[in-house]
Amino acid sequence: MTGVDTTKSFTLRDYDLAATLTSGQAFRWEACNQRWTGVIGTHWVRLHPGPGTLTAETAVPVPNWDWLAHYLQLDVDLAEVTRTFPDDEPMRAAVAASRGLRLLRQDPWECLASFILSSTKQIVQIRQIVALLCERYGEPLAVAPACPPAFAFPCPARLARATEAELRACKMGFRAPYLLATARVIASGQFDLTRLQALPIETARAELMQLPGIGQKIADCVLLFAYGFQSAFPVDVWVMKALRQLYFPRRRVSRPRLHQFAATHFGPSAGYAQQYLFHYMRTKARQPAKPAVT
DNA sequence: GCCCAGGTGAAGC
DNA sequence: GCTTCACATGGG
C-alpha cells in the first residue's frame, strides 16, 4: 500500500546494520533490544532489522521514505564494491571479518561538524559531545510514545550564535574555536556546502580544507561519508596502524609514503576498503585472542 | 600516574 | 618536504 504511514519494510541483502551504525561514521545511533534509534535530518526513526528485512518506524507519518533509503544506501550492491578491492591478504581478512559493513550517506553539515569534534577523541566521547550539542542547541523532535527526547543536529546559524565558552561547556575542549569559526563561515553564506557535490574530488577537498579545523583527514571523512566520493581514503590512527601492520610489517614507512601508497593501492572504492580496515583493526583490538578457524 | 583517542596548525629543521 | 609539539578531556 502506498500513502502516508509511520512504518515501512525494506528487503536487505549483505547489510550488517549494527556494524554499520557503530563503525565510527555516525555518532547518534542508540541500540535498545535489537533495535536502533536515531535521527536523520528532522526525522526521529527506529530501525528493526530482521532476516533479510529492515522495518523502519517514524514518530510522525511520512509521505515517502527516500530520505531513509538514501541515508542507508539501500540500493548499493555491496558485492560489486568489494570486488574492486585489491586481492591481497589484509583486504581478504578485513572483508571476512565484517561482512555486510556499509557506508552511510550523511548530511554534510552534521558530518563536518561531528568530525571537527572527533580529533584525538575516542568514538564514545565523540558521541557524548555530539549528544550534548544536540540537546542544548538542536530543535526538539517528535518521538514515539515512551521514548526519550530527541533533537535535530543544530544548524550552523544556531551554533554561530553560541560563544566559545558555551561550546567548551559541551566538553569539546580545544575543538570549540574550530567548530565555532566554521559554523560562522557557513552561516554567513561565504561558504556553500551544497556546491561541493558537483566538484571534482581534489577541488572539493581543497575547498573543505579552507575551513578552520579541517585538515586532510576530516575533509576525506566528509567527502566519503556525506558526499559519497568513494575514492576518498581518510587516514586516522587506526588506518595508519592497519597500513603499517598489515602491509609494511617489517620496515618503517613515513606517513607521507603511506598516504602515497593508500592513494594508489585500493582502487575506485578505496573509501569502502578504508572502512573495512578501520573496523577490522578496532574489532580485532577488542577481541585479540580469536584463533583462526579452518 | 600512564598512554591513547577517526587531528590540526604552527614552528622547527 | 618531513617531523614535532601544544591543544582539552576522559577511558582503560
Side-chain angles (χ1 to χ4, degrees), chain A residues 272-294:
Chain A
Y272 257 96
Q274 171 277 151
Q275 196 64 11
Y276 276 87
L277 291 172
F278 176 77
H279 195 250
Y280 178 53
M281 294 303 284
R282 292 209 332 129
T283 51
K284 198 157 66 88
R286 272 199 293 273
Q287 297 198 326
K290 191 172 185 179
V293 187
T294 52

Side-chain angles (χ1 to χ4, degrees), chain A residues 95-243:
Chain A
V95 170
S98 17
R99 296 234 175 251
L101 176 64
R102 301 279 189 141
L103 289 180
L104 302 167
R105 185 69 67 86
Q106 302 176 57
D107 172 71
W109 165 243
E110 176 169 347
C111 186
L112 178 63
S114 299
F115 276 96
I116 287 175
L117 303 176
S118 76
S119 68
T120 53
K121 276 290 181 195
Q122 298 183 144
I123 288 171
V124 276
Q125 296 172 312
I126 302 167
R127 294 169 53 84
Q128 288 168 4
I129 298 168
V130 169
L132 270 177
L133 199 62
C134 292
E135 271 170 40
R136 294 183 182 177
Y137 300 103
E139 294 294 324
L141 300 173
V143 302
C147 289
F151 303 87
F153 193 89
C155 66
R158 180 64 193 92
L159 294 185
R161 289 202 302 278
T163 65
E164 184 182 318
E166 287 169 342
L167 294 183
R168 278 182 188 263
C170 296
K171 322 255 186 203
M172 63 183 76
F174 62 81
R175 304 155 195 84
Y178 293 144
L179 179 61
L180 186 56
T182 290
R184 287 181 174 164
V185 172
I186 291 170
S188 76
Q190 298 168 47
F191 193 103
D192 180 10
L193 283 174
T194 62
R195 195 174 50 83
L196 303 185
Q197 187 70 251
L199 300 176
I201 183 170
E202 296 80 5
T203 317
R205 181 187 292 116
E207 290 286 319
L208 284 170
M209 289 174 65
Q210 298 300 306
L211 293 167
I214 316 295
Q216 179 167 347
K217 189 273 174 179
I218 293 177
D220 280 332
C221 285
V222 177
L223 292 172
L224 183 63
F225 301 143
Y227 291 100
F229 286 98
Q230 292 208 5
S231 61
F233 192 97
V235 180
D236 77 319
V237 293
W238 289 101
V239 174
M240 185 60 69
K241 202 180 298 181
L243 296 176

